[in-house]
Structures are given as C-alpha cells and as structure tokens.
Amino acid sequence: MIPYAYLVDDDDAIRDSLGWLLESRGVACRGFGSAEEFLATWNDTLTGCLLLDIRMDGMSGPELFDILNERGNKLPVIFLTGHGDVPMAVSALKKGAFDFVEKPCNDNELANRVIEALRLNENQRLAASGADSLKTLIDTLTTREKQVMERVLSGKLNKVIAEELLISMRTVEVHRANLFDKMGVRTAVELAQLLAGKSGK
Amino acid sequence: MIPYAYLVDDDDAIRDSLGWLLESRGVACRGFGSAEEFLATWNDTLTGCLLLDIRMDGMSGPELFDILNERGNKLPVIFLTGHGDVPMAVSALKKGAFDFVEKPCNDNELANRVIEALRLNENQRLAASGADSLKTLIDTLTTREKQVMERVLSGKLNKVIAEELLISMRTVEVHRANLFDKMGVRTAVELAQLLAGKSGK
DNA sequence: GGCACCATTGTGGAAATCCGTAATGTTCGA
DNA sequence: TCGAACATTACGGATTTCCACAATGGTGCC
C-alpha cells in the first residue's frame, strides 16, 4: 500500500490546488469530496496522512476525526480551517491531531507539514512492524509452550513449572527448549529481553 | 514540596481573581507579575502546574515556556490568552503545553483544567519515583557488580563472564549472588523483568 | 592501628539445567 | 486410515548454578 496524502474537502478548487501543490513535491494524493466518501474508503491498512477540512457539508472534519479515532486510525491528521477557532484547534491537537493549519496559508509550509506527517507515519509503521513480527513469532508457539514460557518469564524453576502444569520436569524441559528455539534465543534472560515491556501472553 | 498553581500574569486583577477562584476549589496558588520573576523562583523541584499569560511586559509566556522546557521543566503548562491566535495555540500544544485557554473563559472550566493538570503532574511524579528508586538501587551496586549484572542481562554464562572479566568463576558467582540480593531478585529472569526497558547501565 | 567495605579465590556438595536418544498416545486434517 | 504435529515421559550424563564455609589482600576512614 503506497502512502497517500488523503485530501478531504468539499471545495473542488481547494482539493485541486492542494493536490497540485503536493504532487509537485512528490506526494501522491487522493481527493474526497466529503467525510462520508472518505469514511467509506477508509480501512486500517491505509498509509500516508490525512488532510481534513473543518467545515464541510454533511459530516464535519472533527466528527470524521472522532469516528476514525474510534476505529483505530493511525494516519496522522492535519486539519485545515478557514476561520481561526482556538478551542477547536486545542481540542483537535489534544485528541492527537498532527497539526492544525489556517487557510490561506503558506503553501510551502503546508507541504512541509504534510511531508513531516508522512515521515511520522512511516516511522510508526516501521516501529509497529517489529512488534508485529514478534507477535507472529509468539503465534507459532503451541499452547503448552506458551504456558511454559509464561512461567519461565516469571522466573520459576522447571521443577515448579512441572508441578503447576502437572507434568514431568522432562516435558517442561522439552517445551522450554522448543520454545527457545522458535523464539530464537539461547537463554531465559534473552527471552525476557526480547519481550521486555510486552505482555508476553 | 506542596503542589501549587503558579500564576504568571502581569495583570494584578487577573492574578487576584484567578487566585481566588482556584483557592475556592482547594488549589494553593502563588502569583508572579512577570515571566522573569517566576523564572528566578523556578527550580526543578517545583510541583503543581503553571498558568501562563501569553502577552506580558518583558518576557512573553511562550518565551518563558521555551526557556523552562530547555531547563527540564516538568510542570504542566496552561496558557491563557486574550486574543484568539490559532498558530500560537498550535505551536504551544505541539511543544507540549497542557492546555491553551482563551480569556475570558468559563471559570469553572478553567478550574477543572487546572485540577486535571495537577493530577497529571502528580501521576507523573509517582511514575518517576518508581524509576528513581530503581536507579537508587542500582547505585548501591559496586563497579564489579554492575559489570557482572550487565553481562548476566546479556544472557551470558558465569563461565563466559569470568573469562571476560579475567576473574574466576567463583568470584562471578559471589558478585552475582550479591547483586541479586541487593536488587531483591532471586533469578536472572526476575532481574531482566525488573529492568525491562531500562538501559541497565 | 583498627574497622568496614570491596574484590578475590578455593573446596566441595546439593540442586538444577541442558541435551541426545528413544518411545507412547492423541488429535486432526488429507 | 495414514501421517504430521503435539504432548508426554524415561534414562543418563555433561554442564552449570547455588551456596556454606573459609581465607587473603587492598582501600579508605576515624
């Protein structure tokens, strides 16, 4: 999925001029004439950033923003507004908007913000992919292996784990060795480091 | 150090009315007539929150904010402004301000924001104290113990650690046992969990 | 000098881990 | 129904950790 700048504005002229501006800076764009239209297209695999007009016929920019947030949107959102409205800007930024820009604005500056937003999104995706591959790795573990791993991470001895799971120590050793192998670690400490901060479930 | 709401505004009347409002809600306040005056008082042990006027004689609110940020200020900052200025609000919030409020505003609302800010500051201090006590704990380790700990956390065997540090395995065992004792853990895995996410240096 | 703290090492045994080889039973999908 | 994957266990030895007891030498402070 290629990163796009998604432009949501009910003013065709603005979408066109913004699109032209961004394309000239090497940013691929897609325009939407209403919040509803974008919402129908949106899914959580989109990458890039979102430029959102405040005032639109039908659903407003902030309303769309709230809905997208609920649905787990990860695209950075830049709000565009024609009339200075401090409370709205404050509210949007506190809810996690990437930026809030007044129209008309310095075109060059806006393009820079968009590029910043794209870069942020890319970095976040890179960071998430690490967590994801780890999760995928954990998914390859069998039920027993996960149970053993959980207890190993609690610092329990094999003997204790065996008692808890009502199986022999040897079996615990086997599961332990297998899961270490699958996780690509040699020791329990390495495993703990690998999962540092994660739930480990 | 008791949490205060530090009011910085060059308008005596506003300081007084704000102070009265907040005191009536149980918030202790201290007023300052200029950014310079507050800056002279500020130190990194202050707790509470900061209400900062944008326009002031001498140093402006945003200027003071920048300086405090450089100096490691952890107080949540609420900006107060008389004239709606979206770019300034955006800039302040992106720099980490807690809130940005237009005057005149709903007194009750402002007091709520202040109380939120105080609560945030308290939570942050609680979270930091955990990290601090951990750091204090690590400081009680001797040089050798830290060296051993570092290697234990890399999942190295005592034998390998002994070779690296050019000492006997027995000595490593002693250091290991001592540092486990000081850190209050029974196993290497517990130690790794304790330091999850920290540098461990 | 005496004392506390640190670093160092040894002996030796109990306990735990690590691991190859081998085997049995279950489950689930082709 | 056959086979792959999983769970289980045993034997036995190599390696490692854990620990009590014991000792030596250096540094820094009162």
Side-chain angles (χ1 to χ4, degrees):
Chain A
M1 185 68 76
I2 296 171
Y4 283 100
Y6 295 92
L7 315 178
V8 182
D9 196 319
D10 57 359
D11 184 332
D12 295 348
I14 289 191
R15 281 209 312 282
D16 285 350
S17 71
L18 266 182
W20 183 85
L21 166 69
L22 292 173
E23 298 277 1
S24 76
R25 292 286 295 266
V27 176
C29 294
R30 294 184 60 185
F32 298 83
S34 74
E36 288 83 355
E37 193 185 329
F38 178 73
L39 194 54
T41 299
W42 181 87
N43 66 71
D44 64 6
T45 69
L46 299 186
T47 62
C49 72
L50 180 55
L51 280 88
L52 208 45
D53 191 31
I54 295 281
R55 278 172 179 253
M56 287 186 287
D57 290 335
M59 191 185 295
S60 75
E63 282 167 358
L64 174 59
F65 182 55
D66 287 342
I67 292 174
L68 291 177
N69 275 346
E70 279 173 19
R71 298 191 184 177
N73 173 59
K74 297 180 198 74
L75 298 176
V77 174
I78 298 173
F79 277 106
L80 302 174
T81 178
H83 66 304
D85 185 331
V86 171
M88 177 146 308
V90 171
S91 161
L93 288 171
K94 290 181 80 171
K95 283 180 185 168
F98 178 79
D99 213 331
F100 193 99
V101 178
E102 284 182 297
K103 293 181 295 189
C105 62
N106 180 316
D107 279 355
N108 202 42
E109 193 53 39
L110 177 57
N112 286 340
R113 299 296 172 87
V114 170
I115 289 169
E116 273 178 42
L118 291 174
R119 189 153 40 218
L120 173 69
N121 179 249
E122 186 180 357
N123 290 337
Q124 287 182 338
R125 278 184 285 120
L126 287 175
S129 74
D132 250 33
S133 66
L134 186 58
K135 194 176 177 307
T136 304
L137 208 54
I138 292 178
D139 284 343
T140 69
L141 299 180
T142 66
T143 306
R144 261 319 199 216
E145 284 165 352
K146 283 182 203 165
Q147 291 172 342
V148 171
M149 181 171 80
E150 206 177 303
R151 288 164 175 79
V152 166
L153 289 175
S154 303
K156 290 174 182 165
L157 295 179
N158 287 349
K159 190 210 283 193
V160 178
I161 298 174
E163 284 166 6
E164 279 189 20
L165 298 181
L166 301 174
I167 55 181
S168 77
M169 237 182 74
R170 189 65 188 85
T171 306
V172 174
E173 287 176 24
V174 172
H175 288 317
R176 183 185 174 118
N178 287 340
L179 81 87
F180 277 18
D181 190 52
K182 285 183 183 176
M183 300 295 289
V185 296
R186 303 288 307 164
T187 69
V189 175
E190 282 179 32
L191 183 64
Q193 300 285 12
L194 184 65
L195 300 181
K198 280 79 181 179
S199 70
K201 293 281 170 114
Chain B
M1 186 68 76
I2 296 171
Y4 282 100
Y6 294 92
L7 315 178
V8 182
D9 195 319
D10 57 358
D11 184 331
D12 294 349
I14 290 191
R15 281 208 312 282
D16 285 349
S17 71
L18 268 181
W20 184 85
L21 166 68
L22 293 173
E23 298 278 0
S24 77
R25 292 287 294 267
V27 177
C29 294
R30 293 183 59 185
F32 297 84
S34 73
E36 288 83 355
E37 193 184 330
F38 178 72
L39 194 54
T41 299
W42 182 87
N43 66 72
D44 65 7
T45 69
L46 298 186
T47 62
C49 72
L50 179 56
L51 281 87
L52 207 45
D53 191 30
I54 295 282
R55 278 172 181 256
M56 287 186 285
D57 290 335
M59 190 185 296
S60 76
E63 281 167 0
L64 173 59
F65 183 53
D66 287 341
I67 292 175
L68 290 176
N69 275 347
E70 280 173 19
R71 300 193 182 176
N73 173 59
K74 299 181 196 73
L75 298 176
V77 174
I78 298 173
F79 277 107
L80 302 173
T81 178
H83 67 305
D85 184 332
V86 171
M88 178 147 304
V90 171
S91 162
L93 289 170
K94 289 180 81 172
K95 284 179 184 168
F98 178 78
D99 214 330
F100 193 99
V101 177
E102 283 181 297
K103 294 181 295 189
C105 62
N106 180 316
D107 280 353
N108 201 42
E109 193 54 40
L110 177 57
N112 287 340
R113 299 295 171 88
V114 170
I115 289 168
E116 274 177 41
L118 291 174
R119 188 152 40 217
L120 173 69
N121 180 248
E122 185 180 358
N123 289 338
Q124 288 181 339
R125 279 183 285 120
L126 286 175
S129 74
D132 250 31
S133 66
L134 186 57
K135 194 175 178 306
T136 304
L137 209 54
I138 292 178
D139 284 343
T140 68
L141 300 181
T142 67
T143 307
R144 263 317 199 215
E145 285 165 352
K146 283 182 202 163
Q147 292 171 343
V148 171
M149 181 172 80
E150 206 177 303
R151 288 163 175 78
V152 166
L153 289 175
S154 304
K156 289 173 182 163
L157 295 179
N158 288 349
K159 190 209 284 194
V160 178
I161 297 174
E163 284 166 7
E164 279 189 18
L165 296 181
L166 302 174
I167 55 180
S168 77
M169 235 183 76
R170 189 64 189 83
T171 307
V172 175
E173 286 177 25
V174 171
H175 288 317
R176 183 185 174 116
N178 287 340
L179 81 88
F180 277 21
D181 190 51
K182 286 184 183 174
M183 300 295 290
V185 297
R186 303 288 307 164
T187 69
V189 175
E190 281 178 32
L191 182 65
Q193 300 284 10
L194 184 65
L195 300 180
K198 280 80 181 179
S199 69
K201 293 282 169 110

